[in-house]
Amino acid sequence: MSHGQDMNRRDFIKISSLFLAGSAAMSTQIGRTFSGTGNALAGEHAEKVVHSFCEHCFWRCGIAAHVRDGRIYKITGSEHHPLSNGKLCPRGTGGIGQIYDPDRLAHPLIRERKGGQSTYRKATWDEAITLTAEKLYQIKEKYGPQAIAMLHHGYGYTFFKEMFKSFGVNKFAKPSFDFCCGPRHQGYILTYGHSAGTPEGIDIQNSKYVIFFGTHYGENMHNTAVQEISEGIRRGLKIVVFDPRFSTLAGKAEKWLPIKAGTDIAMMQAMMNVLITENLYDKQFVEENTVGFDELWAEVREMTPEKAAEITDIPAEDIRDVARRFASFAPSAAVHPGRRTQWYADGTQRVRCIAILNALVGNYKMPGGVVKYEKYKLPKAPHHHYPEFEKEIWSQYPLFTDIKPSNTMASHEVMQQTMNDEIKAWFVYGVNVPETVTLGRKATLEAIDKVDFLVAVDTLPMEVTGYADVVLPECTYLERYDDLDGGRPYRTPFVALRQPAVEPMFDSKPGNEIARMLADKLDLHGVFEDSVEEYLDKRLKAAGSSLEEVKKTGVLLGEPTDLYRKPGEKLTFKTPSGKIELASSKMREAGFSAVPKYIKHPEAPEGYYRILTGRKPMLTFGRTANNRFLNELPTARENDIWVNPEVAKQHGLTHGEYVHLKNQAGVVSEFPIRVKVTERIRKDAVYMVHGYGHYFKKLNWAYKRGASHNQLISQTEIDKAIGAVGFQNNFVTFIKEA
Ligand SMILES: Nc1nc2c(c(=O)[nH]1)N[C@H]1C(S)=C(S)[C@@H](COP(=O)(O)OP(=O)(O)OC[C@H]3O[C@@H](n4cnc5c(=O)[nH]c(N)nc54)[C@H](O)[C@@H]3O)O[C@H]1N2
Ligand SMILES: Nc1nc2c(c(=O)[nH]1)N[C@H]1C(S)=C(S)[C@@H](COP(=O)(O)OP(=O)(O)OC[C@H]3O[C@@H](n4cnc5c(=O)[nH]c(N)nc54)[C@H](O)[C@@H]3O)O[C@H]1N2
Ligand code: SF4
Ligand SMILES: [Mo]
């Protein structure tokens, strides 16, 4: 077993009955929720509908929580919120399974050692907060504030961040940058001077032709995008999918191109080659609005479709055909930027290829092309009462600094600095570190073992809480206020409110209260002068509304963004040249190639297959793994390993049998995984959904279901420009059950 071998200091918690909420009262609550829906709907009690936003993924759609007798009995899509339009993805409705999860963290917990083994004892909030404050204070006194780091994901972190800033702590990191969307933010910023956005600035509503590289909408369920694509298909939108696997989206495409994994840059260079050699690009747009065309041409002129065909395993004729059709539908055509873009170490340049292809056809601010949404003009939060201090960037990666979100380092750098004794304490908000921070689970656990003090704020007994010294149980998003969701550009600019639909259950508390208690203990006076309601009210009044008003619908809407270019409009971009940078000056200055180069990635050893990963409609990794509402059927509670029939035959595997996976470094999956024999995957790769194989027994529903993707990662490559971590150069073979 790869976890918990070192039983000295930070052994993984295995025993403790105090941990669970699972009381008789809780079971009754669950029973009522699941079976009582029909009655509640027909009943005569007054119903309350509370408008808020979802936390089951980071799209943050508007929800309507339907409450009766103090209980939420269903969650529907808000009709007011522009990201839901009255609909939710399947996970959004499943919030009930999170709030009424009987495994929820019910009380603060403090680690204790008894008889040579660690256990948790139930603590009062005062004890847990006092211990946390004392430890953080001591570490800061002894080593300075730079010995403390906060890792965060999800939307409740903002109050903790305020608290830490006023404490002088400036090391913030989120794995969703370096393990997820870092390359597409930076790749876009380097090229266009602005991010690709969430939701992405692609005018799918008016597109005729959209090309996707990997991005697997339909399995990746980002609500508004899935709605727009399905409506598009009804309207005649043509889709092309480059994916080594026949994804759900590939099933809707006019063309599925089973590209060899890791060769996308060669493919896109060849498409550029066709656009340029056949004069299909928008010459005038390129001359007026871009720099670096000659340098780009010098790089891609050799990458003919014939050459790319050898690399990508896609026939030259198909490459030509896609490039020609893309140009013929342009400017109402686009290449989608994707989301989890840190596949390999060249993610930033791969996303730049996407941005460049769009620029070449001149689709910028054109109906159906690349568009730039605007934000709601929400004045900045009024409560920055911490002393002004120089914000230092702690990342060693030269192009990390341009990231818009206010993180100061990559999450894997927190691990590295912990191994070097520079960081002594972690405050972890909503990150299941052992399964998420992919330096390989083994390397991550070594860093966890090294850290002196670890606090986890979570809602469930996820693996990370099993390594914590203090566990602070936050209530779920359905039971609390958070800060406003007002910083995101969209077609209709909006500010969204998260507000409680019901009271916090058990002894859990909202993040804003926990942060306030910590601030008080640390004598950080004035960080949170107002109550959370007063604070939100002030912010909303500054925007011309009020908390009372916004509580009614959960959103404040702005004027629709003016999306399209006017004839003759002069475009400017926030890049160093003021133009779209086909050759990036910042990449060049930082010592990298200014134009994207194709780099060959390692191949699988004989008998091994590249592990690819993706998403499942009903699941968002740790957030939903234990959700009984979303994973009711036992078969849906695990993942499969997709294997091509020829490979299955070679290894003697049959559909439905269980195997262990072994990676190139000899790591064997802790739990077996079911084989899915399917033509839908190339012969040189296998595929599994991330978010399974949980090893903490306290997760009664998720424990031992399927195999962990993260456990099989032993080899990573870092994108040296921005510090994102590629983990797709890992390969597995099969070990048949005895
Ligand atoms: N091996 C591997 N690693 C990956 C990926 C992969 O595909 N494979 N994907 C990467 C990607 S794309 C991403 S975005 C990241 C995601 O990484 P994470 O965001 O860490 O993902 P989760 O596993 O969902 O962990 C979320 C944690 O937040 C907790 N949580 C849920 N709701 C709340 C709340 O309201 N308050 C608090 N305090 N906690 C809450 C959950 O219980 C869980 O412990 O992982 C990355 N890492
Ligand atoms: N239901 C659901 N939806 C989700 C999530 C979830 O957990 N559940 N998570 C959300 C999050 S945090 C993220 S980041 C997104 C991720 O979702 P996306 O950004 O859409 O997907 P990726 O993870 O980039 O890509 C997965 C797909 O890429 C293919 N692929 C793998 N390697 C290659 C390659 O080298 N080349 C090409 N062309 N294709 C390749 C895989 O076969 C798979 O189909 O989904 C979001 N939406
Ligand atoms: S896409 Fe689904 S899970 Fe994500 S925020 Fe929207 S409804 Fe929730
Ligand atoms: Mo992600």
Side-chain angles (χ1 to χ4, degrees):
M1 275 199 321
S2 61
H3 61 264
Q5 323 107 310
D6 182 351
M7 282 297 170
N8 296 327
R9 197 157 39 86
R10 190 168 301 285
D11 50 334
F12 185 60
I13 297 274
K14 295 218 170 68
I15 42 160
S16 168
S17 55
L18 294 173
F19 213 90
L20 297 175
S23 60
M26 186 68 189
S27 321
T28 323
Q29 286 168 345
I30 298 278
R32 277 173 55 185
T33 306
F34 285 162
S35 57
T37 310
N39 279 346
L41 277 168
E44 64 282 273
H45 303 285
E47 170 176 316
K48 183 171 79 164
V49 179
V50 181
H51 290 94
S52 186
F53 60 86
C54 184
E55 182 68 27
H56 272 180
C57 84
F58 319 101
W59 200 255
R60 302 199 291 273
C61 302
I63 57 168
H66 301 250
V67 183
R68 176 164 299 205
D69 297 336
R71 317 197 47 72
I72 301 173
Y73 71 87
K74 75 172 171 183
I75 298 173
T76 54
S78 162
E79 284 160 20
H80 308 288
H81 196 296
L83 294 190
S84 16
N85 304 311
K87 299 185 198 105
L88 294 178
C89 91
R91 297 165 299 159
T93 57
I96 290 170
Q98 192 190 356
I99 183 169
Y100 302 122
D101 187 330
D103 296 337
R104 259 181 72 175
L105 294 167
H107 317 278
L109 299 165
I110 292 178
R111 172 183 289 265
E112 270 185 349
R113 284 187 77 80
K114 263 195 189 143
Q117 258 201 321
S118 284
T119 183
Y120 278 133
R121 85 176 158 79
K122 184 173 156 181
T124 62
W125 275 101
D126 190 54
E127 282 176 293
I129 294 291
T130 305
L131 177 65
T132 303
E134 270 173 16
K135 285 280 188 184
L136 292 176
Y137 187 81
Q138 285 163 5
I139 287 170
K140 184 180 149 189
E141 285 296 293
K142 196 161 169 196
Y143 305 103
Q146 67 276 14
I148 301 171
M150 174 167 158
L151 288 153
H152 65 90
H153 201 197
Y155 211 61
Y157 73 97
T158 54
F159 297 94
F160 292 99
K161 197 162 180 180
E162 286 299 300
M163 190 274 297
F164 273 120
K165 280 192 200 163
S166 68
F167 190 49
V169 167
N170 187 35
K171 285 192 171 167
F172 301 105
K174 55 176 180 183
S176 58
F177 177 80
D178 38 324
F179 297 99
C180 178
C181 3
R184 71 127 187 206
H185 281 296
Q186 290 309 68
Y188 250 65
I189 290 173
L190 292 168
T191 317
Y192 284 94
H194 62 79
S195 162
T198 304
E200 294 85 18
I202 296 286
D203 186 23
I204 293 177
Q205 290 184 6
N206 297 296
S207 260
K208 301 200 172 100
Y209 191 83
V210 182
I211 304 174
F212 294 88
F213 283 88
T215 316
H216 59 327
Y217 277 126
E219 286 152 298
N220 159 357
M221 287 307 289
H222 283 161
N223 188 8
T224 335
V226 173
Q227 289 182 29
E228 286 182 350
I229 292 169
S230 350
E231 275 153 33
I233 290 166
R234 232 169 282 142
R235 171 175 54 75
L237 165 71
K238 307 270 187 301
I239 288 172
V240 171
V241 172
F242 288 95
D243 195 315
R245 181 183 68 100
F246 187 77
S247 60
T248 301
L249 189 63
K252 311 281 175 207
E254 73 165 22
K255 221 174 203 158
W256 167 49
L257 297 158
I259 189 171
K260 181 171 172 178
T263 65
D264 300 75
I265 290 184
M267 172 59 66
M268 289 190 261
Q269 284 191 342
M271 287 168 63
M272 294 173 203
N273 179 298
V274 175
L275 292 177
I276 298 169
T277 42
E278 298 188 11
N279 250 313
L280 300 172
Y281 70 104
D282 185 336
K283 260 210 183 86
Q284 193 188 343
F285 180 86
V286 167
E287 268 162 29
E288 285 171 10
N289 297 293
T290 71
V291 293
F293 181 82
D294 293 342
E295 204 172 336
L296 178 74
W297 174 233
E299 182 63 35
V300 305
R301 67 184 306 162
E302 305 285 314
M303 190 59 83
T304 57
E306 281 67 27
K307 185 171 170 199
E310 280 169 29
I311 298 171
T312 62
D313 210 11
I314 300 294
E317 260 335 287
D318 282 324
I319 302 175
R320 277 202 179 87
D321 181 54
V322 172
R324 286 173 188 158
R325 277 177 76 71
F326 178 48
S328 75
F329 286 107
S332 299
V335 186
H336 194 279
R339 184 167 188 90
R340 188 181 68 82
T341 36
Q342 48 57 260
W343 299 346
Y344 309 91
D346 54 10
T348 308
Q349 289 290 32
R350 184 172 59 82
V351 175
R352 275 187 24 77
C353 284
I354 293 175
I356 291 169
L357 279 171
N358 285 318
L360 286 178
V361 298
N363 68 7
Y364 194 73
K365 285 197 170 186
M366 294 299 275
V370 170
V371 285
K372 185 172 180 285
Y373 300 134
E374 272 160 30
K375 283 186 203 175
Y376 191 100
K377 290 183 182 56
L378 177 69
K380 264 207 169 342
H383 71 166
H384 292 285
H385 294 296
Y386 42 87
E388 275 308 314
F389 66 103
E390 199 64 35
K391 186 176 145 186
E392 273 181 89
I393 299 293
W394 291 98
S395 178
Q396 60 177 306
Y397 299 99
L399 295 170
F400 185 92
T401 45
D402 283 345
I403 305 159
K404 282 273 169 54
S406 43
N407 287 307
T408 55
M409 63 201 299
S411 59
H412 67 90
E413 291 179 282
V414 173
M415 311 291 129
Q416 280 149 1
Q417 292 194 10
T418 303
M419 293 310 285
N420 300 340
D421 277 326
E422 290 162 56
I423 288 178
K424 301 286 187 183
W426 296 0
F427 191 92
V428 182
Y429 179 93
V431 180
N432 190 22
V433 179
E435 288 301 279
T436 295
V437 177
T438 313
L439 295 170
R441 193 200 273 173
K442 191 161 166 282
T444 304
L445 291 181
E446 278 166 15
I448 288 184
D449 191 52
K450 193 116 202 287
V451 73
D452 283 353
F453 185 61
L454 200 169
V455 182
V457 185
D458 210 299
T459 55
L460 276 169
M462 301 299 293
E463 280 77 9
V464 64
T465 64
Y467 298 96
D469 296 292
V470 179
V471 180
L472 303 175
E474 188 173 33
C475 59
T476 68
Y477 68 102
L478 296 163
E479 304 159 281
R480 66 176 196 243
Y481 284 107
D482 275 327
D483 208 340
L484 301 172
D485 180 12
R488 285 191 291 162
Y490 190 51
R491 184 179 279 281
T492 309
F494 66 92
V495 176
L497 173 71
R498 173 166 285 153
Q499 58 175 327
V502 291
E503 291 289 307
M505 290 173 72
F506 320 111
D507 200 9
S508 66
K509 286 189 190 298
N512 67 72
E513 262 181 57
I514 306 172
R516 185 183 300 271
M517 289 191 292
L518 270 171
D520 285 346
K521 257 313 168 233
L522 288 165
D523 273 344
L524 305 170
H525 298 298
V527 202
F528 304 115
E529 271 174 352
D530 303 317
S531 72
V532 70
E533 282 102 337
E534 284 164 350
Y535 163 76
L536 293 169
D537 191 46
K538 275 190 188 168
R539 285 204 79 182
L540 289 167
K541 283 197 170 126
S545 185
S546 68
L547 180 58
E548 200 192 342
E549 201 46 43
V550 178
K551 277 180 98 161
K552 293 177 197 160
T553 57
V555 280
L556 198 56
L557 299 178
E559 286 302 310
T561 303
D562 208 354
L563 290 178
Y564 309 126
R565 249 195 271 163
K566 319 247 169 333
E569 181 185 331
K570 210 175 158 331
L571 299 172
T572 51
F573 299 88
K574 286 187 179 154
T575 52
S577 61
K579 307 246 177 192
I580 297 175
E581 300 208 342
L582 306 178
S584 163
S585 50
K586 285 196 174 181
M587 285 294 268
R588 184 185 293 111
E589 264 167 43
F592 304 100
S593 168
V595 289
K597 283 190 189 299
Y598 165 67
I599 303 158
K600 192 175 183 308
H601 295 292
E603 302 268 340
E606 182 68 30
Y608 283 73
Y609 308 88
R610 191 184 299 277
I611 337 171
L612 305 180
T613 189
R615 312 296 179 222
K616 218 178 187 175
M618 299 295 270
L619 184 103
T620 315
F621 13 84
R623 280 169 194 274
T624 54
N626 207 57
N627 188 315
R628 285 143 174 86
F629 188 95
L630 289 175
N631 309 285
E632 223 172 336
L633 292 173
T635 46
R637 282 158 67 185
E638 47 192 296
N639 52 356
D640 304 281
I641 185 84
W642 294 37
V643 181
N644 181 279
E646 265 186 45
V647 175
K649 197 167 162 212
Q650 219 174 318
H651 290 265
L653 304 176
T654 47
H655 186 77
E657 81 168 284
Y658 284 81
V659 293
H660 279 85
L661 299 174
K662 183 173 88 174
N663 78 2
Q664 75 285 346
V667 175
V668 178
S669 66
E670 188 167 352
F671 307 123
I673 184 168
R674 197 171 46 196
V675 173
K676 170 172 170 150
V677 178
T678 172
E679 294 279 358
R680 290 173 58 185
I681 180 104
R682 283 174 59 96
K683 279 177 254 174
D684 52 4
V686 291
Y687 173 81
M688 68 194 282
V689 170
H690 165 61
Y692 291 89
H694 287 278
Y695 60 84
F696 202 0
K697 284 190 181 143
K698 303 296 173 197
L699 294 165
N700 277 298
W701 204 252
Y703 176 62
K704 250 180 152 174
R705 293 279 169 186
S708 158
H709 173 249
N710 206 38
Q711 197 203 348
L712 296 164
I713 308 295
S714 295
Q715 158 86 6
T716 54
E717 293 81 30
I718 294 178
D719 182 330
K720 298 224 168 42
I722 69 159
V725 184
F727 56 63
Q728 294 201 173
N729 287 329
N730 283 276
F731 310 95
V732 286
T733 190
F734 317 95
I735 302 178
K736 281 174 77 83
E737 294 273 80

